[in-house]
Amino acid sequence: MPHFTLEYSSNLPIQARDLLLKINASLVESQHFQEIDIKSRAIRLEDVVIGTTPDERAFLHAKLAILTGRSAEVRRQLSERVLVVIQTAQTWPQGLDVQLCVEVLEIDKETYAKAHLAN
């Protein structure tokens, strides 16, 4: 834990692996997670509609799923930390209305199961 998912519209020039590594490093620096426990993935979305106008628009939506038990303040700090990394990770395209957002989801600690198979 945690699980991190990055979804973004295909009209954004994201270097997903590089961005995920930066986010993982920031999560480790938060001292809330062990490095080996962070699982991140990125999903590039081809079929996207934002609003109803044909304007040039794009989005990036990040989901950080963590086990229950952290305060609202810690969850807010984590979402802001991830947002800062995303905002500063690259130069965003000119003339493109880009929406960036981060949400923190809680996974019920009582029902979460995990196995770690290290050979």
Side-chain angles (χ1 to χ4, degrees), residues 6-14 42-48:
L6 185 68
E7 298 176 329
Y8 62 97
S9 55
S10 62
N11 57 343
L12 288 176
I14 301 287
I43 303 166
R44 184 174 188 253
L45 302 168
E46 295 295 330
D47 297 316
V48 172

Side-chain angles (χ1 to χ4, degrees), residues 31-109:
Q31 299 184 341
H32 289 284
F33 312 106
Q34 297 297 312
E35 175 270 338
I36 195 168
D37 292 333
I38 303 169
K39 278 83 64 188
S40 299
R41 77 277 284 151
I43 303 166
R44 184 174 188 253
L45 302 168
E46 295 295 330
D47 297 316
V48 172
V49 176
I50 302 169
T52 59
T53 67
D55 294 342
E56 287 295 316
R57 296 176 175 169
F59 79 89
L60 182 150
H61 183 92
K63 298 176 190 175
L64 177 64
I66 61 175
L67 291 176
T68 54
R70 291 182 177 85
S71 69
E73 176 63 19
V74 167
R75 294 191 311 269
R76 183 190 61 75
Q77 289 171 359
L78 290 168
S79 66
E80 289 178 0
R81 172 181 283 275
V82 170
L83 185 59
V84 166
V85 172
I86 291 168
Q87 285 178 296
T88 60
Q90 68 179 54
T91 302
W92 296 95
Q94 293 292 325
L96 188 61
D97 182 334
V98 180
Q99 297 180 45
L100 308 174
C101 55
V102 179
E103 69 176 311
V104 176
L105 308 169
E106 290 188 293
I107 297 174
D108 184 13
K109 189 182 288 188

